[in-house]
Each structure stands twice: as C-alpha cells, then as structure tokens.
Amino acid sequence: VFDEVCETTGVTLTRFMIEVAFLNPEMQELPALFSGISTACKAISDMVKRSQLTGLVGYADGGGSINVQGEEQKTLDIMTNDVLKRALRFTGKLGVLASEEEDTPVGVPLNPKDVVFDETSKYTAVFDPLDGSSNVDAGIPTGTIFGIFEHDDECEIAEGGSMTEDELLCLQNTLKPGTDLIASGYCLYSSSCFFVVTLGAGVYGFTLDENIGEFVLTHPNIKVPETSKIYSFNEANMPQWDVPMRETVEKWRLGTGASGNSFTSRYIGSMVGDVHRTLLYGGVFGYPSDKKNVNGKLRLLYEGAPMSFLMEQAGGLSTDGRGRVMEIVPKEVHQRVPIIMGSKKDVQEVIDAYAKSK
Ligand code: P6P
C-alpha cells in the first residue's frame, strides 16, 4: 500500500503521512508534526509572495520597514521564525532545538529563547525558517529547511519556564549528527511552492495546489542523475578554494574531468533553490572550504545535515571534501561546514581529488 500511495501522484501530503504512520506505528506522531510544518510553510509562502505589498521588505540592521499603520515591522526572517516555532509548538509533539534566526553566538551555550521543549515531545526540530531571505526583495527563490531528530532523555529538562545554564549546556553537548535524523525536508518558494521530504526511505516532492490549499504528490521517489553537466558554486571565491576543489572545477570547465562532460554554471545564491535544481536535473552544488572561511559558509545542523540526508536518499553524495557531512557531530549549534553535494559520480571525483592531495 505504501508504494502505491507513494507512487500515486496527486495524493496529498496529509494522506501520505497518514499512510506512513499506518504502516510504521513508531511514526504515528509524524502526521501531526508534518501538518504543523506544512501549514507554517504555506503561511510563509504567502508572506514571502506578499512581502512587497505588505511592506515586509528591507533587511538592513535587522529592521523591517514601517507599515501603513506606521508600525515598525519585524523583518521577514524574524516573522517566519515565529510562524514556524508557533506551528511546531502547538503540535505538542516537538521541542524546538535550533533555528538560524535564534542568534546564539557561536561557541556559547544555547540561550533559553533558542529552545522550546514540550516535556512530552518525542521529536526535536532544527530549522532555517527562510534561507536566502536577502533574495526576497529581488524575487529570487527562497526556502525553509528543517530536520527532525528523535528527542532523547540525555538532558533532564525541568518542566516549563526557561532552562538552566546546565540544561542548555547539556543540550549543546548532545547535538547529533545527520545520521540521527529521522526526517528532513525543505519548502521552496519559487515558480511553485514545493515541499520535498525524506523519512529515510526515498525522497518525495509535493507541490502546493492553491485551489485546494493542499500539497499534492508530484515528484514520487526523486532520484538525482548519477552524472551531470552543471556545477553550482559562488565562483568569486574560487581563488581561495582548497586546491583539489579548484582543480576539479577547472577540469569540468574544460571537459577534461572524469565524465568528459563540459559543464555549465548555475548558481542563484539561495541554497534551497540550488539544491532543488540539483536533485531534479543533477549537478554539484556547494560552498567549499576556502582560505577566508575554512568551514565554508553553510550551517551544519539546520542546512548541511538536513539537505545531505535528502541528497543521499535521492542517490547522491554530500561531502565536506574528506567525509560524509551526515557523520559530522556538531559541537556548536551554528557551526559551519564545507559542503559539496549532488550527482554521485561527480561528487566522487571531488572526494578522490581531496584524497589524492593528502
Ligand atoms: P553567497 C543564503 O544567504 C545562503 O545562506 C544560502 O542560501 C546560499 O547558498 C549561500 O548563502 C549563498 O552565499 O556567499 O554565495 O552569497
């Protein structure tokens, strides 16, 4: 039945999750959780689409703009973060672990506003509520990224109230690698509103049908092409990249790489859009290590790991140059990680180049 449902384009996300829970009793709390996440994404999609009309523009110094009532408005980042946290909290199924918009300075313990735990929560979420938000005013696609972990009881969390320093420090020290994710996904706000998810058994793409207000299955069982002709990096940083990365892209440009393909460059500067295109068309997307930023720019916990889970489930690879991004254990909530992900054979060429350079 699961396969039939999964292959039946047009089935709604709601029905899909109910079938998943029916066939996998241990996942019975997921339908409610995904209902919260997908509802938040529909709201965020509307906020992004209407941002130019509602005055939710501008990002300088975290100040929004003044709306028609003369009220100071929060930026879209903060508002979308609030929408997602509220939706997650009311599922009653979830403690929220970390969000890019909760500005815990790197290297210090989480602070109380970062963490919302419902003591009955079975799951913990990490998310980037509006990745690429600086692109909104230019009409460039943006997205929400989320990852779901089983909530463990390593840290005794007192009920209610803000958390003690020790509880926060315990959480900080029990951050988990991507291999512990039980689900991850993104919502892409672009030509359509796409909701792409994995539960560890393939990748499923849904498209928002605004006539019925439901995400419907349009891309059952996404598989990334094994080789490609597209690379997707911010090439302005290329002179600072690690040599193996730089040399591999130079070969791709000349058609002298392993596949013999002459590559073209596609880069929109919005991770969710670049990863979505890579999943569907193939290619290699990344933000590699460079002399200025040895850990690249993208965040491990709520960007790199969730997106790597999707890419691996779609048959691709995701590496930091030396190992699987999924296996890296975060030491800090906002830790950065070099990422090169996409078509299996092309990413393998990068891995081999790094191995040879040791
Ligand atoms: P750059 C957006 O700010 C983001 O976090 C990702 O969505 C995107 O892939 C990357 O940064 C773009 O960074 O330095 O190329 O503008």
Side-chain angles (χ1 to χ4, degrees):
V1 169
F2 181 73
D3 289 345
E4 278 167 33
V5 167
C6 288
E7 299 304 324
T8 315
T9 52
V11 68
T12 64
L13 177 64
T14 307
R15 168 79 196 285
F16 178 92
M17 292 310 300
I18 289 168
E19 291 296 331
V20 165
F22 177 70
L23 295 163
N24 304 275
E26 75 282 7
M27 292 188 162
Q28 62 186 347
E29 298 192 32
L30 278 185
L33 181 54
F34 270 83
S35 168
I37 295 172
S38 60
T39 300
C41 288
K42 292 177 201 172
I44 292 171
S45 175
D46 189 53
M47 290 164 75
V48 168
K49 210 183 290 184
R50 294 182 54 77
S51 59
Q52 310 306 306
L53 305 169
T54 55
L56 269 179
V57 294
Y59 298 92
D61 309 324
S65 66
I66 303 298
N67 68 9
V68 289
Q69 285 82 17
E71 297 152 7
E72 168 65 33
Q73 277 189 312
K74 293 183 177 177
T75 63
L76 212 46
D77 296 289
I78 297 169
M79 289 194 74
T80 53
N81 190 54
D82 292 348
V83 163
L84 203 52
K85 270 190 358 181
R86 205 176 316 123
L88 293 175
R89 187 178 296 154
F90 293 139
T91 61
K93 306 286 181 219
L94 194 96
V96 171
L97 177 60
S99 157
E100 178 162 53
E101 298 314 318
E102 305 288 356
D103 52 357
T104 312
V106 175
V108 299
L110 289 165
N111 51 42
K113 71 181 175 74
D114 270 350
V115 185
V116 168
F117 263 111
D118 175 323
E119 51 285 350
T120 61
S121 65
K122 177 176 167 134
Y123 296 115
T124 300
V126 293
F127 55 89
D128 184 355
L130 194 61
D131 181 73
S133 56
S134 57
N135 288 312
V136 167
D137 290 355
I140 293 164
T142 52
T144 297
I145 306 169
F146 61 88
I148 310 287
F149 291 97
E150 292 268 1
H151 166 47
D152 58 23
D153 299 327
E154 279 175 60
C155 299
E156 281 306 310
I157 311 284
E159 288 198 25
S162 64
M163 301 169 77
T164 66
E165 194 68 26
D166 289 348
E167 288 168 339
L168 290 169
L169 209 52
C170 175
L171 272 181
Q172 178 92 7
N173 297 331
T174 55
L175 296 174
K176 296 178 174 172
T179 45
D180 284 6
L181 283 164
I182 62 119
S184 78
Y186 60 77
C187 194
L188 170 62
Y189 311 117
S190 182
S191 52
S192 295
C193 181
F194 297 97
F195 192 90
V196 178
V197 63
T198 183
L199 303 166
V203 178
Y204 296 90
F206 298 79
T207 304
L208 182 60
D209 180 342
E210 292 182 347
N211 293 340
I212 59 172
E214 288 271 9
F215 283 108
V216 296
L217 185 65
T218 48
H219 298 74
N221 208 11
I222 295 173
K223 289 297 174 198
V224 59
E226 283 206 349
T227 60
S228 71
K229 298 179 179 177
I230 302 171
Y231 65 79
S232 181
F233 299 90
N234 182 338
E235 292 177 83
N237 301 328
M238 197 163 169
Q240 287 83 30
W241 288 353
D242 295 341
V243 171
M245 188 70 245
R246 197 166 68 232
E247 288 179 348
T248 305
V249 169
E250 279 160 359
K251 287 178 184 169
W252 289 345
R253 282 174 169 170
L254 300 170
T256 57
S259 66
N261 290 336
S262 291
F263 281 58
T264 188
S265 175
R266 290 285 181 277
Y267 188 73
I268 67 169
S270 202
M271 183 185 197
V272 178
D274 281 318
V275 170
H276 189 68
R277 184 201 56 250
T278 302
L279 276 171
L280 297 185
Y281 293 4
V284 180
F285 163 77
Y287 214 98
S289 162
D290 66 47
K291 293 190 188 82
K292 285 182 301 178
N293 311 293
V294 287
N295 283 325
K297 173 181 180 183
L298 300 176
R299 310 286 183 170
L300 172 58
L301 197 58
Y302 44 78
E303 291 174 331
M307 289 303 217
S308 298
F309 190 18
L310 286 163
M311 194 54 77
E312 290 194 359
Q313 282 291 315
L317 293 178
S318 179
T319 179
D320 64 355
R322 296 176 175 82
R324 284 176 75 201
V325 169
M326 294 280 281
E327 291 177 356
I328 301 172
V329 179
K331 296 198 177 36
E332 289 154 358
V333 167
H334 299 289
Q335 173 175 332
R336 298 178 193 273
V337 62
I339 291 186
I340 302 105
M341 63 161 62
S343 294
K344 186 174 184 176
K345 291 187 176 170
D346 300 329
V347 174
Q348 188 59 51
E349 193 173 345
V350 177
I351 295 169
D352 295 346
Y354 268 92
K356 220 181 295 172
S357 73
K358 271 181 185 160

